[in-house]
Amino acid sequence: MKISVIIPAFNQPAKLARSLASMRAQTVPPHEIIVVDDGSKTPIEPQPGIIVTRLEREPVHRGSSAAKNHGARLATGD
């Protein structure tokens, strides 16, 4: 089974770091990790040592549901 993980992110880099650390700790690694920056004031940057398959940036904040839906459209997992 190929698992896609979609993480919406908005102006909370510490929370994103914890979410990505949790992904690293899983016994079954995800097929892909898609982070959707939902219009953060300071754009999210890739973090060393953490593999993010795709980093999408939305130009304006539309909410976590819209960010999750955007990520789901890009997902290639089951």
Side-chain angles (χ1 to χ4, degrees):
M1 177 186 289
K2 297 189 305 185
I3 299 170
S4 297
V5 176
I6 300 154
I7 302 173
F10 178 68
N11 289 338
Q12 295 183 336
K15 191 174 189 178
L16 175 61
R18 287 192 305 273
S19 295
L20 292 171
S22 175
M23 291 296 99
R24 267 198 329 247
Q26 299 302 308
T27 56
V28 177
H31 164 68
E32 64 185 343
I33 299 173
I34 301 170
V35 174
V36 181
D37 180 347
D38 187 31
S40 296
K41 291 178 184 175
T42 303
I44 293 170
E45 298 296 329
Q47 299 177 358
I50 298 177
I51 297 172
V52 172
T53 309
R54 189 165 184 166
L55 175 59
E56 287 287 314
R57 291 189 172 94
E58 294 288 345
V60 295
H61 178 63
R62 298 184 311 153
S64 65
S65 293
K68 286 185 257 185
N69 290 336
H70 180 79
R73 285 190 294 275
L74 301 172
T76 61
D78 298 328

